[in-house]
Amino acid sequence: EVQLVESGGGLVQAGGSLRLSCAASGFTFKDRPIGWARQAPGKEREGVSCISNRDGTTHYINSVKGRFTIASNNAKNTVFLHMNSLKPEDTAVYYCVAGCLPDARGMDIIYVDWASWGQGTQVTVSS
């Protein structure tokens, strides 16, 4: 059974930083790209970032590029999302998902597999 457990959310002022963690189990970690997605109040869910645990390739949507960094520790089956220069518009529930890929046409979209996702962690950025 795939299990994804997020942690690290919280309340931070604009310009601040947070690090989210996702502990994964129940599947071969290197076989699946792991992603982070978010859902803000009143908005649709969106993929934010994705990392291949085979070769370390990373992808980001434009709104977080240069501010967020995704990284994985294959030895501990853990994926991190380092979030810097946070903005109020980053406020959302952040979810770890097992399965993601960027849009093949180059559009600013990261698709995620919502069949395997964690319980989410709240990130609130105050202005």
Side-chain angles (χ1 to χ4, degrees), residues 87-103:
K87 303 176 181 180
E89 51 263 44
D90 295 317
T91 294
V93 178
Y94 283 72
Y95 300 93
C96 180
V97 289
C100 54
L101 75 165
D103 184 84

Side-chain angles (χ1 to χ4, degrees), residues 27-83:
F27 61 98
T28 303
F29 192 70
K30 282 192 173 183
D31 285 351
R32 291 201 194 185
I34 305 294
W36 287 94
R38 65 187 179 186
Q39 186 167 24
K43 294 189 177 181
E44 294 186 356
R45 296 178 297 189
E46 64 172 351
V48 172
S49 183
C50 181
I51 185 168
S52 165
N53 292 317
R54 285 190 175 272
D55 61 14
T57 302
T58 59
H59 302 278
Y60 304 92
I61 55 172
N62 288 340
S63 62
V64 307
K65 201 172 292 184
R67 300 188 297 121
F68 290 11
T69 302
I70 191 170
S72 64
N73 183 330
N74 286 358
K76 296 186 176 182
N77 286 8
T78 302
V79 175
F80 304 98
L81 186 68
H82 302 266
M83 305 186 295

